[in-house]
Amino acid sequence: MKVAVLDINGKDTGRKADLSKDVFAIEPNNHAVYLDVKQYLANQRQGTHKSKERAEISGSTRKIKKQKGTGTARAGSIKSGVFKGGGRMFGPRPRNYSFKLNKNLKRLARKSALSIKAGEKSITVLEDFNFDNVKTKNFTAVLKALELENKKTLFVLGGSNNNVYLSSRNLKSTEVITSSELSTYKILNAGQVVLLEGALAGIETNLSK
């Protein structure tokens, strides 16, 4: 699968990047994608929610009325959840939402996500670049040249590049990651995925195992 390599000015360099069919052109497995995205979102949850139950409420422990003869339902504690100011019944408790997925399934999900984006023509290959200093306007110029200033964009670098990362950090619709940080959720959440040439080998090595 051949894709034109662009420079940071949006011009064709005349080179073609060969994207592996085993990574960018497979039949997407929608259930694997669903599970991987579900796990990613579950891992974002703190799980620190808590409400007080009847045993944790401050209040009297006396029986509030006699058992029989009132014509109303029997009641023991003022801390019961049926009364105002009582504990909450079946309220949330702290818990861990994370769950395990096999590595092969997660790998399949990432390949499926990349194949979906490739099928939508939403993958751009860009030659490697760097900035001499940290300036947001440098990164904005790259986005304008690629006509991506109004799109949610994911840039995937071959390795850490502090100047490029920091230059993009103020832009809400743009995220810069390395190939080792690539996830199914981030791929699908972006309108356009921009792969730098240096990231292709790492992506294909990680996903072809």
Side-chain angles (χ1 to χ4, degrees):
M1 184 177 174
K2 302 284 188 179
V3 177
V5 179
L6 307 181
D7 61 18
I8 59 173
N9 298 314
K11 306 295 184 184
D12 193 338
T13 61
R15 301 196 308 277
K16 297 280 188 182
D18 191 11
L19 303 183
S20 170
K21 290 183 179 179
D22 295 332
V23 175
F24 294 91
I26 69 166
E27 181 67 31
N29 187 312
N30 292 330
H31 191 62
V33 170
Y34 159 74
L35 288 174
D36 202 16
V37 170
K38 182 181 178 181
Q39 186 196 49
Y40 178 89
L41 294 174
N43 289 342
Q44 307 306 303
R45 301 186 69 172
Q46 285 185 314
T48 54
H49 40 46
K50 178 73 175 76
S51 64
K52 288 188 177 182
E53 300 180 3
R54 62 185 290 169
E56 300 164 311
I57 294 290
S58 296
S60 173
T61 58
R62 76 177 181 89
K63 185 170 175 64
I64 59 176
K65 62 182 179 181
K66 62 181 184 177
Q67 181 79 346
K68 293 178 174 290
T70 63
T72 58
R74 55 195 172 185
S77 173
I78 195 69
K79 297 186 283 186
S80 169
V82 299
F83 296 121
K84 181 180 177 181
R88 182 170 175 187
M89 293 184 281
F90 307 112
R93 293 179 175 180
R95 58 165 291 196
N96 180 9
Y97 283 91
S98 64
F99 59 93
K100 181 183 179 297
L101 287 179
N102 292 330
K103 287 182 180 178
N104 284 340
L105 187 143
K106 291 171 71 68
R107 207 172 283 131
L108 173 61
R110 287 197 295 271
K111 290 193 286 188
S112 297
L114 287 170
S115 297
I116 290 169
K117 286 297 179 185
E120 295 172 348
K121 307 294 184 188
S122 296
I123 290 182
T124 301
V125 179
L126 196 65
E127 68 177 0
D128 293 323
F129 68 94
N130 192 13
F131 298 139
D132 295 330
N133 46 30
V134 177
K135 281 192 178 294
T136 303
K137 69 178 182 180
N138 290 344
F139 203 92
T140 304
V142 174
L143 291 175
K144 285 183 178 178
L146 298 173
E147 299 181 353
L148 297 175
E149 66 267 32
N150 296 320
K151 261 192 172 183
K152 189 181 282 189
T153 311
L154 178 69
F155 278 75
V156 185
L157 311 181
S160 59
N161 186 322
N162 216 35
N163 284 357
V164 173
Y165 169 71
L166 293 175
S167 297
S168 70
R169 202 164 54 169
N170 278 343
L171 303 172
K172 288 184 179 180
S173 61
T174 303
E175 185 175 5
V176 173
I177 61 173
T178 62
S179 58
S180 61
E181 298 169 327
L182 198 61
S183 72
T184 305
Y185 177 83
K186 289 182 177 179
I187 295 168
L188 294 177
N189 191 43
Q192 188 78 15
V193 179
V194 179
L195 305 176
L196 268 65
E197 275 187 294
L200 293 177
I203 292 171
E204 291 179 1
T205 301
N206 290 337
L207 299 182
S208 297
K209 293 176 182 177

